[in-house]
Amino acid sequence: MAEAALRALEVFASPDRLALLLAGILAGIVVGLLPGMGGIVAVSLILPYVFRMDAVAAVAVLTGALAVVHTSDTITSVLIGAPGSAASATSVIEGHPLARQGQAARALSAAFLSSMIGGLLGALGLTLSIPVARPLVLSMGAPELFMLTALGVSYAGSLLGKEVRKGLLSGLLGMLFGLVGPSPAAAQVRFDFGSLYLMDGLPLAVVALGIFGVAEVVNLLAEGGSIAQAPGLGRGWLEGVRDVLRHRWLVVRGALIGIWAGILPALGATAGTWMAYGHVVATSRDRENFGKGDIRGIIAPESANNAVAAGDLIPTLLFMVPGSASAAILVGALLRYGILPGPRILTEHLDLVYVVIWSYALANVIGAGICFAASPALARVTQIPFAKLAGPVLVAMMLGAYQASQELGDLVTLLLLGTLGWGMASAGWPRAPFLIGFVLVGPMERYFVITKNLYGWTWLARPGVWIIGAALLAPFVWGLVRWSRGRGSRSASPPSGSAPARSALDVGVSAAVLGGFALAALLAVGLVPGARELPLFVALAGCGLGAVQLVEALRGRTGPAEGQLDPNRLRGGAIILAGLCGFVGVTAALGFLPGVAALTLWVTWKLARMHPGWAVAYTVAVAAGVHALAGLLALHLPGGRLSL
Amino acid sequence: MVALVLVALLGVGASGAAPYYAGKSVEIIVPTSPGGPSDILVRAMAPYLERHIAGSPSVRVRNMPGGGTILGSNWFALNAKPDGLTLLAAPVGATIAYIIKNPAVRYDFRNFKLVAVSGSGAVFYASPRVGVRRAADLPQARDLVMGSPSPPGNVLTAIVAMELLGVSPKVVFGFEGVGPARLAFERGELTLDFQSTIVYVTQVQPLVAAGRAVPLMTLGYLDERGQVVRDPALRDLPTVYEVYQQIYRRKPDGLLRWKAFRALFAAGWVYGRGLWAPGGTPPEILRELHEAVDRMNRDPEFQRDVAQRLLEGYALHRGDRVEAVVHRNLQITLDVVKFIRDLVRQKYGQEI
């Protein structure tokens, strides 16, 4: 084996192949930077060229692109607060606050280093697990897969925030949105309101971008000023490195979680990242700082999301069961070269498997190096008045969302979920449980139904189920022990100092959420058996909790403290959201470029208060940039009814 | 910038001034996410289309997922101009939705012109535990359990095939695809499975060699006259048609359940991979495309890289030669549609 590994390394001695790997890496980095676009866009972008190369080069360039998407997506998440891809939304939660505190450099260097090490550990894990991977994957039956998704959901328990009820409602709401679309076990589409767009469910990229990205950008714009509230970039580069060294075991744990999530076809990159994040929060003693910029909350997930892609290669190469759409494309490319993934690949094409692993490892190192080198310049972005950046940022988000299914529905979904995310963020509702609920509800329901139908009740007797069950319960038992030991010593957590008063926004969000659950409950009753059980449960639980929440909100017992809600900022946010509605309207009527022009002009002239002449010049430049980018990356732009 | 780098590195070659397609760009709509079987096939074919369509247009793939393949297909029907520059690669899902008359379907294959079509086969195999040595023993098998995504989709073909043979396996819905169902078979959770030929050959034959799977039968294939023949990729295995005769000592022709099976098998498999142009496309443009198919079939590189490896050896037909046959096979009568719906409702509790 070692011999095959070395022979595969020789492949990269040729400058041509190294150049191709580099091209793949560059493509991955650029696509990762663009908000909402992930590996699948990167791979689709280079695929037309791939089929003109030889097998080794093709594999190298595809793997290279896939490997680095989750390195560079962090940049957008940290600096702008819009997730560079769905799997890096955790870095919006922890990294973006650091950028706002003027510590962008520290956050980025910690993220890149963890990404790189996570990727390398992933490659190592891939190498080591090749001999045992088949039995390992086959040992996980439907009951174990179900328990693993339940474990992921339990990690969300540590992310519920101070107001547990809101956290639970947020998770239930995410599950409800995740249930839109085809039911896994019955031939029925749920909550589609007769719309074809909703028939396949909501695209994850759009949901992540809406719930996290829109709210951050709107708030930044409404506040005015630049992203970093503190002057200077911070000399954080070394500090970030030191953070990673200090928390080196977190990097390893994150990578292990990521590899597992990749190996199991049920989970995927986003779930793996969130599980790593939940795991860090759950196992940390001091949790006060999470959500406000805790470096540990960057390190573990960033390590995990680079390791996931390595784990994903195991079912892809050994079973021809790709865990993601981008891995499916890799399978397609291999087939085209007559290389058949499956049990025989280890005997017939072992060298190629090592080419994949080496490409993966090299790409992680080179990609992190490039991101490191580019970041000081990029981090300066946080010093510019944000209103001047907002035009292109908003446009890039819309463009990213639209690549999900190329329907106007993508933009409408982005806007609606953006409004929801903004309302939640402003009224003190945690958004992390929402995304976890959204991502995991599908596999959880799927594997529960399969388990129930295949095993009846006997699944509860399987040892794997007991082991995972123990892992699931351990944090709760541990928490109970700690609580009984140190009762009273830890400050009574209910927010005591600042007594919250009734906030109209919190009442509004609570009422909207309750209304949503009530509507869902009504609709769920009409579904066929087999499709309705989980939606009904989620909706009824949401109705119950939501009713309590609404009452408490009306009494003014929940919600952000009065001082935290600046009415000017809220009004500003509402105006900007209205402006975005206008953008979608113009796009629907006239096409994307007129929409881009109108939006950019409005933002630069009215919000950034540029001189009208400059505003027009800037707008023209942005529109031309969008046009050029779309041409280069072969992206499609929404066309209007009166298409221009 | 990236694309520039790639272009510079690879030197995309486009040359020659030729008739209609010179300097133009062809867009192929694939109504699924990237990575699906039809997407992979189309992407592998794209460079050969570029090479063989006179004038060497650039050929791009556009994925329009949504509505379980219906959204992109509807978009094509409503928006594609008949200029030969927008084509539709209809995947099996779009074809099945069409033949079982899903009310959301807004496209009608009778209004399209066929550019090229290819097919695929599929194989049934079982676990040795069920006590079956050949397909004709299936009615005596114990504990047959199949797994599948929720219907409709290709599972309909398997369900109707089993009904035809008088076999009632338990079907567990909920799998996210046929790949995870195959893993569940390998784990021993399922005892009966059904996979396309390429997957069978690469993933299941090693299990057969190890004594962990028993090959049963293929769906079969149709010759030019519409007769059922053995699958050209797996000639040693009997077809569903033969197995019926072994069990019942007569031919199934004329039975409603045979008609249902044949409809699904023809539309979903034998003619399951069609490349379509909008209806009003001028004949001279269609001729350019059809001649390109001929040239592709003569290109040894295409034969090796795509025909053998991705089409599994099934022929790529020139659209105009088989168009009438394909159109005939895509129209099924209402009694057959009703039979399929009733079967799926009564036996499996699913409303399609």
Side-chain angles (χ1 to χ4, degrees):
Chain A
M1 258 171 80
E3 196 190 327
L6 286 177
R7 212 171 37 241
L9 188 59
E10 281 170 23
V11 163
F12 297 100
S14 119
D16 296 4
R17 295 229 171 88
L18 215 53
L20 282 173
L21 181 66
L22 206 63
I25 292 171
L26 282 177
I29 286 179
V30 170
V31 169
L33 272 174
L34 292 171
M37 296 190 207
I40 187 69
V41 178
V43 171
S44 315
L45 166 66
I46 53 182
L47 208 61
Y49 306 99
V50 161
F51 283 134
R52 298 189 175 92
M53 306 171 189
D54 66 70
V56 171
V59 164
V61 77
L62 281 175
T63 320
L66 279 179
V68 297
V69 166
H70 293 311
T71 308
S72 68
D73 61 4
T74 314
I75 299 176
T76 321
S77 303
V78 169
L79 296 184
I80 312 282
S85 72
S88 77
T90 55
S91 292
V92 175
I93 300 182
E94 300 295 348
H96 189 56
L98 283 173
R100 306 219 59 193
Q101 294 156 22
Q103 301 189 51
R106 176 187 169 206
L108 286 178
S109 71
F112 297 150
L113 197 58
S114 332
S115 288
M116 186 186 88
I117 302 175
L120 289 176
L121 288 173
L124 182 70
L126 185 59
T127 314
L128 294 179
S129 60
I130 278 177
V132 292
R134 265 193 95 78
L136 204 68
V137 171
L138 289 178
S139 67
M140 305 299 275
E144 287 79 17
L145 292 174
F146 166 69
M147 289 300 285
L148 279 171
T149 56
L151 181 67
V153 171
S154 82
Y155 282 152
S158 58
L159 306 176
L160 293 178
K162 280 205 188 107
E163 295 182 69
V164 173
R165 194 182 328 110
K166 284 182 178 175
L168 288 173
L169 276 168
S170 167
L172 287 168
L173 202 59
M175 290 170 85
L176 196 61
F177 277 88
L179 288 168
V180 172
S183 152
Q188 190 167 39
V189 179
R190 301 185 286 214
F191 306 130
D192 64 343
F193 300 95
S195 142
L196 271 179
Y197 175 75
L198 295 174
M199 251 182 86
D200 281 356
L202 294 165
L204 170 62
V206 181
V207 171
L209 208 52
I211 289 292
F212 283 100
V214 172
E216 316 302 327
V217 172
V218 166
N219 274 340
L220 281 172
L221 251 179
E223 272 172 33
S226 57
I227 295 172
Q229 292 160 322
L233 291 177
R235 290 167 299 282
W237 298 105
L238 273 177
E239 207 184 327
V241 174
R242 271 197 296 268
D243 284 324
V244 173
L245 293 178
R246 192 163 55 238
H247 300 296
R248 53 193 171 275
W249 293 110
L250 272 187
V251 182
V252 176
R253 267 148 58 188
L256 287 175
I257 291 174
I259 294 174
W260 263 108
I263 289 181
L264 300 170
L267 294 175
T270 307
T273 311
W274 282 100
M275 282 172 82
Y277 180 62
H279 170 80
V280 167
V281 179
T283 55
S284 297
R285 267 163 212 276
D286 47 331
R287 299 184 191 172
E288 285 69 30
N289 215 12
F290 281 110
K292 299 174 200 145
D294 192 311
I295 200 78
R296 291 171 298 178
I298 300 178
I299 290 174
E302 284 301 327
S303 169
N305 69 15
N306 278 56
V308 166
D312 192 7
L313 289 170
I314 290 174
T316 305
L317 294 176
L318 299 189
F319 291 91
M320 205 157 105
V321 179
S324 62
S326 33
I329 291 189
L330 184 65
V331 167
L334 290 173
L335 289 178
R336 148 75 176 70
Y337 291 105
I339 297 154
L340 305 168
R344 292 179 203 143
I345 196 169
L346 293 181
T347 45
E348 289 170 9
H349 299 286
L350 188 61
D351 46 345
L352 204 81
V353 173
Y354 281 109
V355 170
V356 170
I357 296 176
W358 281 119
S359 308
Y360 192 80
L362 279 174
N364 264 294
V365 174
I366 299 172
I370 294 175
C371 288
F372 251 117
S375 288
L378 288 169
R380 263 177 244 286
V381 161
T382 59
Q383 305 291 311
I384 303 171
F386 184 71
K388 291 190 178 163
L389 293 175
V393 166
L394 284 169
V395 168
M397 285 167 60
M398 297 285 177
L399 198 57
Y402 186 72
Q403 302 315 308
S405 41
Q406 298 172 25
E407 276 284 312
L408 202 63
D410 288 331
L411 298 185
V412 175
T413 308
L414 181 72
L415 202 58
L416 288 177
L417 286 176
T419 309
L420 177 65
W422 177 78
M424 287 171 76
S426 304
W429 291 57
R431 287 168 293 164
F434 184 99
L435 213 57
I436 298 185
F438 180 83
V439 170
L440 285 179
V441 70
M444 199 167 76
E445 181 186 22
R446 189 182 288 293
Y447 281 98
F448 181 72
V449 171
I450 296 175
T451 300
K452 202 183 68 187
N453 285 331
L454 282 176
Y455 291 85
W457 289 104
T458 62
W459 68 278
L460 287 168
R462 287 167 67 98
V465 170
W466 281 83
I467 295 170
I468 304 167
L472 200 158
L473 290 177
F476 294 101
V477 176
W478 174 236
L480 211 63
V481 169
R482 248 188 354 191
W483 176 78
S484 66
R485 250 194 236 153
R487 212 179 320 191
S489 71
R490 266 161 58 89
S491 63
S493 20
S496 44
S498 53
R502 179 155 88 186
S503 124
L505 184 68
D506 199 28
V507 171
V509 172
S510 305
V513 168
L514 178 60
F517 279 120
L519 175 63
L522 282 178
L523 291 172
V525 172
L527 296 172
V528 299
R532 78 167 158 227
E533 289 78 5
L534 187 60
L536 203 56
F537 172 78
V538 169
L540 289 178
C543 283
L545 273 175
V548 177
Q549 167 63 28
L550 183 61
V551 170
E552 295 287 293
L554 281 168
R555 286 181 177 175
R557 288 203 197 148
T558 126
E562 190 62 39
Q564 283 174 294
L565 276 178
D566 173 2
N568 281 329
R569 215 182 79 181
L570 288 183
R571 197 175 317 119
I575 291 173
I576 293 156
L577 284 168
L580 292 180
C581 288
F583 164 79
V584 173
V586 172
T587 300
L590 300 176
F592 193 64
L593 287 177
V596 166
L599 181 71
T600 317
L601 196 62
W602 177 62
V603 170
T604 47
W605 189 18
K606 288 292 175 194
L607 300 180
R609 299 187 195 289
M610 279 193 200
H611 184 274
W614 284 115
V616 170
Y618 190 89
T619 300
V620 171
V622 169
V626 167
H627 189 71
L629 187 74
L632 276 177
L633 301 189
L635 302 176
H636 293 277
L637 302 180
R641 285 198 179 278
L642 319 165
S643 198
L644 290 183
Chain B
M1 176 188 71
V2 179
L4 278 181
V5 171
L6 285 167
V7 170
L9 281 171
L10 303 163
V12 181
S15 61
Y20 176 72
Y21 276 104
K24 292 201 167 69
S25 171
V26 178
E27 193 166 67
I28 302 181
I29 307 296
V30 175
T32 69
S33 304
S38 42
D39 176 67
I40 286 169
L41 183 65
V42 171
R43 285 175 187 276
M45 279 172 63
Y48 295 96
L49 285 168
E50 290 185 352
R51 183 187 297 176
H52 292 295
I53 297 176
S56 304
S58 72
V59 176
R60 299 207 311 192
V61 176
R62 177 172 185 185
N63 297 89
M64 299 183 80
T69 73
I70 296 177
L71 210 55
S73 309
N74 280 353
W75 183 92
F76 176 81
L78 299 175
N79 295 292
K81 294 193 190 76
D83 53 9
L85 300 183
T86 310
L87 306 176
L88 172 73
V92 177
T95 315
I96 299 260
Y98 174 79
I99 66 166
I100 65 168
K101 305 192 193 323
N102 182 317
V105 167
R106 297 272 176 281
Y107 49 90
D108 188 341
F109 286 109
R110 282 175 297 189
N111 296 338
F112 298 161
K113 301 300 283 180
L114 190 58
V115 174
V117 67
S118 174
S120 168
V123 186
F124 287 92
Y125 57 95
S127 157
R129 289 206 321 253
V130 300
V132 168
R133 296 174 58 194
R134 54 188 200 116
D137 303 337
L138 272 174
Q140 288 90 49
R142 307 176 301 267
D143 304 324
L144 285 175
V145 187
M146 273 187 87
S148 149
S150 63
N154 263 330
V155 68
L156 289 184
T157 321
I159 285 178
V160 176
M162 287 298 138
E163 180 69 14
L164 174 69
L165 299 181
V167 180
S168 299
K170 175 177 174 177
V171 181
V172 174
F173 297 111
F175 287 89
E176 62 263 58
V178 290
R182 177 164 48 77
L183 286 190
F185 177 90
E186 273 200 63
R187 285 195 293 263
E189 293 180 328
L190 304 175
T191 56
L192 178 66
D193 196 23
F194 160 76
Q195 296 284 343
S196 69
T197 308
I198 188 165
V199 175
Y200 174 79
V201 169
T202 59
Q203 313 296 319
V204 183
Q205 272 183 348
L207 299 181
V208 172
R212 289 165 53 210
V214 181
L216 298 175
M217 60 190 173
T218 67
L219 294 178
Y221 210 65
L222 294 174
D223 67 9
E224 303 83 58
R225 292 172 299 131
Q227 298 294 313
V228 181
V229 293
R230 284 207 168 182
D231 190 314
L234 293 158
R235 290 190 192 280
D236 334 335
L237 285 178
T239 64
V240 170
Y241 188 71
E242 290 171 61
V243 172
Y244 179 88
Q245 294 174 63
Q246 288 167 11
I247 298 175
Y248 294 100
R249 308 273 161 220
R250 58 187 151 88
K251 293 195 170 190
D253 305 60
L255 293 175
L256 192 55
R257 46 201 171 126
W258 168 252
K259 283 187 198 156
F261 171 75
R262 196 185 176 291
L264 290 165
F265 147 67
W269 296 89
V270 182
Y271 303 115
R273 299 156 164 182
L275 185 63
W276 301 85
T281 310
E284 58 276 14
I285 295 178
L286 284 172
R287 196 169 53 240
E288 297 282 349
L289 295 171
H290 290 143
E291 283 172 1
V293 174
D294 278 343
R295 282 193 287 271
M296 275 162 70
N297 275 326
R298 286 197 300 267
D299 178 344
E301 218 178 294
F302 174 82
Q303 282 302 321
R304 188 195 64 206
D305 289 351
V306 179
Q308 287 301 320
R309 291 171 182 166
L310 291 176
L311 297 175
E312 309 144 35
Y314 300 101
L316 178 70
H317 298 287
R318 217 180 112 135
D320 51 348
R321 301 249 165 85
V322 289
E323 194 170 77
V325 181
V326 173
H327 277 312
R328 203 161 52 239
N329 277 298
L330 289 179
Q331 303 307 320
I332 62 174
T333 49
L334 280 173
D335 58 332
V336 177
V337 175
K338 185 172 178 307
F339 170 83
I340 297 172
R341 294 198 162 170
D342 288 349
L343 169 67
V344 175
R345 177 168 53 241
Q346 285 156 14
K347 245 187 178 159
Y348 301 96
Q350 304 281 342
E351 201 73 48
I352 54 168

